[in-house]
Amino acid sequence: GYVSALASNEKVFSGEQLAQLHQWQLWQQELESGIELQGPLQAKCRNAFTSRGYSESKLQNDVVGELKAARLVIDEEVLLGSGYRIDALVKVGDGRKVAIEVDGPFHFIDRRPAGSTILKHRQVARLDRIEVVSVPYWEWNELKNSEMKQRYLREKLSNGQ
């Protein structure tokens, strides 16, 4: 079948293709299809997915700084069980953990989330069971001072959006 064909050709896959196969595997988990990549290939795909480079932006650093200034309990650049890395994980008052994703221009097409952004948010919510809150760059850039930024973040966290 398909999975054994993938396994028999694993040496020809690039790092990006292996990372995409990891996302396909996550999709199979979402569907509860019971289809799984074989052990060594599954590990290789997850490794390719989790080892992709990431960089913090000025925007992300600003948002994280305001989360800290608001005295919220946060962890930065958290690697989740699904293999996704999120910008910040906030522990809110009622015991929930909420993922904060600082979404810059490359996460959008005409201010609508790009497919990869939609996929990440959905899979984190479903597979890691963590609510995802997006901070779009244009909303953040309209906030004029620290007080406005912290109010915005508290509202986002309480509304869960």
Side-chain angles (χ1 to χ4, degrees):
Y2 183 67
V3 172
S4 31
L6 289 172
S8 65
N9 289 300
E10 78 174 80
K11 289 179 178 43
V12 302
F13 295 125
S14 68
E16 184 62 26
Q17 290 168 329
L18 289 168
Q20 289 171 345
L21 276 173
H22 178 72
Q23 288 178 301
W24 175 84
Q25 180 64 73
L26 293 175
W27 179 53
Q28 294 306 308
Q29 290 172 10
E30 279 186 276
L31 296 173
E32 298 179 0
S33 69
I35 300 171
E36 285 200 27
L37 295 171
Q38 295 168 1
L41 178 57
Q42 190 176 57
K44 197 172 180 179
C45 291
R46 180 181 168 78
N47 185 52
F49 187 76
T50 59
S51 63
R52 293 189 297 186
Y54 65 92
S55 60
E56 295 175 9
S57 66
K58 180 182 178 308
L59 174 65
Q60 181 179 335
N61 289 335
D62 190 30
V63 172
V64 166
E66 294 297 342
L67 287 166
K68 289 177 179 176
R71 301 193 188 283
L72 294 166
V73 179
I74 71 164
D75 290 318
E76 296 178 62
E77 290 296 337
V78 177
L79 181 63
L80 301 175
S82 62
Y84 281 106
R85 187 177 302 278
I86 56 167
D87 298 328
L89 187 63
V90 180
K91 294 177 185 85
V92 291
D94 58 10
R96 290 179 303 136
K97 290 183 179 180
V98 179
I100 299 286
E101 279 293 289
V102 182
D103 291 329
F106 294 109
H107 292 268
F108 298 93
I109 300 169
D110 294 331
R111 292 196 174 183
R112 289 191 313 269
S116 59
T117 300
I118 293 169
L119 179 66
K120 178 179 183 177
H121 292 188
R122 187 189 78 218
Q123 289 186 331
V124 166
R126 287 187 183 165
L127 300 173
D128 294 303
R129 298 193 178 350
I130 296 174
E131 180 183 341
V132 179
V133 170
S134 174
V135 177
Y137 70 96
W138 68 87
E139 289 181 4
W140 189 256
N141 290 343
E142 289 175 8
L143 303 170
K144 302 300 180 211
N145 58 45
S146 192
E147 183 183 330
M148 290 174 76
K149 290 175 179 180
Q150 289 177 35
R151 185 177 324 121
Y152 169 89
L153 290 169
R154 287 190 185 284
E155 285 174 9
K156 285 281 224 181
L157 287 166
S158 66
N159 296 340
Q161 45 163 298

